[in-house]
Amino acid sequence: MSAHTHAAVDTAAVESADPCCAAPLPVLGRDVTVPLVTGGEVTYAALDYAASAPALQRVWDDVAAYAPYYGSVHRGAGYLSQLSTDLFENSRATVAEFLDCRPADQVVFTRSTTDSLNLLAAALPADCQVFVFETEHHASLLPWQDARVTYLNAPRTPQQAVATLERALADRKPHGPALVCVTGASNVTGELWPVKELAAAAHAHGARIVLDAAQLAPHHPVSVQDLDVDWIAFSGHKLYAPFGSGVLAGRADWLQDAEPYLAGGGASRTVARRADGGVDVEWHTTAARHEAGSPNVIGVYSIASACKALTEAGFDALVARERHLIATVREGLAEVPEVKVLSLFGDDAPRVGVISFVVEGWNSSHFAAALSAEYGIGVRDGLFCAHPLVRTLLGSDPQTQGECGAPEAAPGERSLNAIRVSFGAGTPDEHVERFVGAVKELVRDGAQWKYRTEDGRCVPDRG
């Protein structure tokens, strides 16, 4: 088996003369059927891509083809070990190309976006100040607890975001090292953030910037060089490669100067006993410095496979098709007066296929449960690991209790939650059309079944 062996992509099925009519990319589970509480079965409509996207069939095929050849990475003398090492390092090069990294950048493989940003947080230089908007996913909002953190209020326009950051950076004291952490696309509203402009503002004030591309990379091409970001983080499980790996890619200096994220084999170059009985360690200065332990070869290879598949399918066609799906959902929801779509930047803001909303007269948990149980549609409800942002967007809007309550609130707080529908390269038109039809029917006619709260979740009452 060659390290580059993969299943062929049927580009004729992926692209057509009209990119808006391009077929969805084949994904695992596309033919799965689920039971309906009202009787019968239906093909499952997976509309929770923002949480985890299904594996591309191409990725699954590549992983299955490699699995019999799996071996220990690095230092092994056997053929399978050498092949796996080549596969692992070639995957690193593939990811660097996918992200359009600078020649000197390092690509470090991690477990997830959260792991990547915690790694960078551990590598911050002394007295580094961190600036982050309250609109971030918790993976971007929370890793900086050991640093001096300035949390910026939610902007209402991209221009306000840039101006807010510029003021904060200009006013920082002392004027030492600083890091800005920003998302590329909101996991709540799907809106694109002005990353290039924020990077320019950061650099103009002597700061660096890390891009959380977890929601951006699966939907749009991402160029480290064009955006001029210092680091980028993303997860395989949102990039159609749900096998437990993530990426932190970018400048090497802070990573090289930091203590290894984990101490152990693979991160160390040499280890020797001292005369006094202690141990001296020389750590690697390459990406291996922060990749201690046996690496997740299959997870890494699956990310590289997904990068290749998306590139070969063509982002122009993928983006055009997704815009068609977004329009279908937004136009359908706009026809329901009881639906309020959540937004920071307004209706005309560019966005990816992530849309959150609330329904007057419904608790969001109840509505999501009915979509699943009665229509075979999987969406998400809650605060989406972005509690400050969702609370800001919901404000004081009431949440009707309905037959199921929202998740428990903290003492003294109101219980708030929303519904999120999200989709991507593997979503067929029928899924979003079924979703829009189901929303209209539920609002008009109500649920056909009774529901109750069980272990904090709204479920059909089968008693």
Side-chain angles (χ1 to χ4, degrees):
M1 174 192 165
S2 165
H4 300 287
T5 297
H6 57 72
V9 173
D10 183 2
T11 55
V14 172
E15 299 181 18
S16 68
D18 180 359
C20 290
C21 299
L25 298 186
V27 294
L28 213 61
R30 58 190 179 274
D31 298 323
V32 168
T33 60
V34 294
L36 300 181
V37 71
T38 51
E41 292 188 341
V42 67
T43 302
Y44 185 64
L47 295 178
D48 194 15
Y49 276 45
S52 276
L56 287 173
Q57 186 68 51
R58 154 76 175 272
V59 171
W60 179 258
D61 291 344
D62 282 356
V63 167
Y66 162 65
Y69 298 87
Y70 171 80
S72 174
V73 170
H74 300 141
R75 296 171 302 281
Y79 177 80
L80 298 191
S81 177
Q82 293 181 37
L83 184 142
S84 295
T85 298
D86 287 346
L87 192 83
F88 186 78
E89 294 303 335
N90 286 336
S91 295
R92 200 188 304 275
T94 297
V95 171
E97 182 179 3
F98 179 75
L99 297 175
D100 189 28
C101 289
R102 296 165 291 254
D105 284 344
Q106 288 187 350
V107 173
V108 182
F109 289 117
T110 64
R111 293 175 296 177
S112 61
T113 307
T114 301
D115 198 36
S116 296
L117 293 172
N118 275 272
L119 163 56
L120 185 59
L124 296 179
D127 300 320
C128 184
Q129 298 181 58
V130 177
F131 296 82
V132 57
F133 287 93
E134 67 171 353
T135 50
E136 295 293 317
H137 186 282
H138 294 170
S140 302
L141 194 70
L142 300 181
W144 323 105
Q145 301 301 308
D146 293 334
R148 294 176 54 195
V149 187
T150 298
Y151 295 105
L152 306 174
N153 292 334
R156 286 298 180 170
T157 66
Q159 295 78 15
Q160 186 182 24
V162 176
T164 297
L165 179 63
E166 286 184 326
R167 285 194 301 272
L169 290 173
D171 292 343
R172 77 183 190 274
K173 293 178 182 177
H175 200 81
L179 177 70
V180 177
C181 181
V182 67
T183 188
S186 171
N187 77 300
V188 176
T189 68
E191 292 162 316
L192 300 181
W193 275 64
V195 176
K196 191 169 185 176
E197 292 80 3
L198 291 168
H203 294 152
H205 291 279
R208 294 190 178 188
I209 186 168
V210 56
L211 170 63
D212 174 355
Q215 300 295 342
L216 183 63
H219 302 273
H220 281 261
V222 177
S223 168
V224 169
Q225 296 192 65
D226 180 60
L227 295 173
D228 197 21
V229 293
D230 298 284
W231 292 277
I232 183 170
F234 71 88
S235 292
H237 74 97
K238 298 187 194 297
L239 196 79
Y240 311 101
F243 294 91
S245 284
V247 169
L248 177 67
R251 301 197 184 278
D253 52 352
W254 285 11
L255 300 176
Q256 290 174 341
D257 292 340
E259 290 295 308
Y261 186 44
L262 296 173
S268 56
R269 184 192 298 272
T270 62
V271 180
R273 291 293 300 275
R274 296 194 303 264
D276 63 5
V279 172
D280 283 328
V281 183
E282 179 187 0
W283 303 104
H284 280 293
T285 57
T286 63
R289 183 182 188 89
H290 299 291
E291 295 176 343
S294 296
N296 180 0
V297 187
I298 286 179
V300 166
Y301 181 43
S302 71
I303 289 180
S305 173
C307 290
K308 289 180 180 179
L310 294 174
T311 300
E312 292 170 9
F315 269 107
D316 287 347
L318 296 176
V319 169
R321 185 171 189 285
E322 187 169 305
R323 285 174 179 162
H324 163 69
L325 297 177
I326 292 170
T328 298
V329 173
R330 287 180 61 83
E331 290 168 8
L333 294 180
E335 295 173 359
V336 185
E338 294 84 354
V339 169
K340 176 187 175 182
V341 174
L342 306 184
S343 175
L344 269 178
F345 300 152
D347 290 344
D348 296 331
R351 64 191 71 235
V352 299
V354 179
I355 299 168
S356 296
F357 62 99
V358 291
V359 183
E360 182 182 345
W362 284 81
N363 176 270
S364 295
S365 296
H366 185 193
F367 201 89
L371 285 172
S372 175
E374 300 178 27
Y375 298 91
I377 298 170
V379 298
R380 201 169 190 87
D381 66 278
L383 300 176
F384 318 126
C385 292
H387 294 189
L389 171 57
V390 178
R391 292 184 187 281
T392 294
L393 294 173
L394 289 176
S396 58
D397 288 351
Q399 280 275 296
T400 301
Q401 187 70 9
E403 296 184 45
C404 287
E408 291 185 4
E413 291 187 350
R414 293 175 51 253
S415 186
L416 300 174
N417 64 344
I419 307 153
R420 184 181 69 191
V421 56
S422 54
F423 40 87
T427 305
D429 285 28
E430 189 275 330
H431 287 185
V432 297
E433 291 165 357
R434 191 197 319 172
F435 165 77
V436 169
V439 170
K440 292 179 178 179
E441 192 169 279
L442 282 171
V443 171
R444 183 185 67 240
D445 302 331
Q448 299 180 54
W449 206 265
K450 288 189 176 294
Y451 295 81
R452 60 186 173 84
T453 301
E454 181 179 290
D455 297 327
R457 297 298 305 166
C458 193
V459 297
D461 188 348
R462 302 176 187 274

